[in-house]
């Protein structure tokens, strides 16, 4: 990994401040998902509080890594009864703390995107409650001829359509679910 020596201490500071202030955090871990798992595990093992909710911004790692992150942050099921309780309550969002941000620019266009989306929804507790969309659009970064502030809306709409298509859902259902998930993710704010 080509992590700069200052990145981990700065990330730890942000993570701990978000936990202390009881605020959600968005984490963008490019090619560092294993390191993210290790950091989160160490925080939990040392008895440190984590932020109330964590969005994995533009996540494109493996489903296995995503499940590891969910287990670390939300707690591992201790026994078969706990695993069954969690899988049976797939629509209940009370325990959801890990969300996954998708957008058409960074992770929904990838070859394995549909596999990740289906794995998230079908194979993790509260799967569809974890979906978020993001624009990943900062108008200051994309100030060029022909660009428009409304382009962020187009990116969000394309992401909604892409997720709807992948899941076989009507776009209205997807929009309602994403809206609700966003409110749950931000409920501490």
């Amino acid at each position: 990994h080509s992590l700069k020596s200052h990145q981990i201490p700065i990330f730890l500071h942000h993570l701990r401040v978000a936990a202390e202030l009881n605020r959600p955090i968005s984490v963008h871990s490019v090619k560092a998902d294993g390191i993210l798992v290790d950091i989160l595990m160490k925080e939990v093992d040392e008895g440190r509080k984590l932020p109330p909710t964590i969005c994995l911004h533009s996540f494109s790692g493996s489903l296995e890594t995503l499940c590891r992150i969910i287990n670390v942050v939300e707690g591992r099921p201790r026994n078969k009864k706990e695993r069954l309780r969690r899988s049976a309550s797939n629509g209940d969002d009370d325990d959801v703390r890990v969300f996954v941000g998708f957008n058409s620019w960074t992770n929904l266009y990838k070859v394995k995107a549909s596999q990740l989306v289906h794995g998230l929804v079908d194979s993790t507790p509260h799967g569809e409650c974890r979906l978020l969309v993001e624009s990943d659009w900062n108008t200051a970064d994309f100030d060029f001829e022909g660009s428009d502030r409304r382009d962020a809306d187009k990116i969000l709409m394309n992401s909604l359509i892409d997720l709807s298509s992948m899941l076989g859902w009507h776009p209205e259902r997807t929009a309602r679910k994403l809206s609700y998930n966003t409110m749950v993710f931000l409920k501490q704010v």
Side-chain angles (χ1 to χ4, degrees):
H1 296 284
S2 62
L3 288 175
K4 305 280 188 215
S5 62
H6 66 279
Q7 287 179 300
I8 291 175
I10 290 171
F11 172 68
L12 278 170
H13 180 73
H14 284 227
L15 186 72
R16 291 172 182 168
V17 167
E20 180 182 328
L21 298 176
N22 204 35
R23 294 290 186 254
I25 190 169
S26 180
V27 178
H28 194 183
S29 62
V30 178
K31 297 180 183 175
D33 296 325
I35 293 170
L36 175 61
V37 171
D38 292 343
I39 289 171
L40 294 172
M41 285 178 69
K42 186 175 180 187
E43 291 293 289
V44 169
D45 288 346
E46 292 178 359
R48 288 195 177 91
K49 181 180 168 187
L50 293 175
T53 53
I54 297 172
C55 173
L56 301 174
H57 170 71
S58 298
F59 184 81
S60 58
S62 70
L63 180 60
E64 178 185 351
T65 300
L66 178 56
C67 289
R68 288 178 65 207
I69 293 169
I70 291 168
N71 286 336
V72 169
V73 173
E74 296 177 4
R76 293 179 182 87
R78 288 172 285 234
N79 53 45
K80 186 176 180 180
K81 185 178 178 181
E82 175 80 7
R83 280 192 298 278
L84 290 172
R85 184 194 67 78
R86 285 190 186 184
S87 63
S89 64
N90 197 33
D92 183 6
D93 64 358
D94 290 345
D95 298 324
V96 174
R97 295 182 59 203
V98 176
F99 295 80
V100 182
F102 291 99
N103 76 64
S104 295
W105 262 17
T106 60
N107 57 359
L108 286 176
Y109 76 91
K110 295 189 176 193
V111 174
K112 294 188 177 186
S114 182
Q115 184 180 345
L116 177 63
V117 169
H118 277 281
L120 172 65
V121 170
D122 299 335
S123 303
T124 67
H126 321 288
E128 66 182 56
C129 296
R130 299 180 186 285
L131 298 169
L132 295 176
V133 290
E134 312 166 303
S135 70
D136 212 16
W137 179 269
N138 180 346
T139 54
D141 292 339
F142 296 94
D143 187 19
F144 54 87
E145 189 174 334
S147 70
D148 190 299
R149 288 182 179 271
R150 294 170 294 192
D151 290 342
D153 296 343
K154 294 174 192 168
I155 294 166
L156 292 171
M157 182 60 78
N158 281 329
S159 301
L160 183 143
I161 291 167
D162 287 346
L163 279 173
S164 297
S165 176
M166 287 177 185
L167 293 167
W169 293 358
H170 189 278
E172 187 176 321
R173 174 185 176 189
T174 307
R176 279 194 311 271
K177 189 65 194 166
L178 293 170
S179 175
Y180 179 77
N181 292 354
T182 301
M183 289 188 294
V184 172
F185 172 69
L186 295 173
K187 71 182 168 190
Q188 300 297 325
V189 176

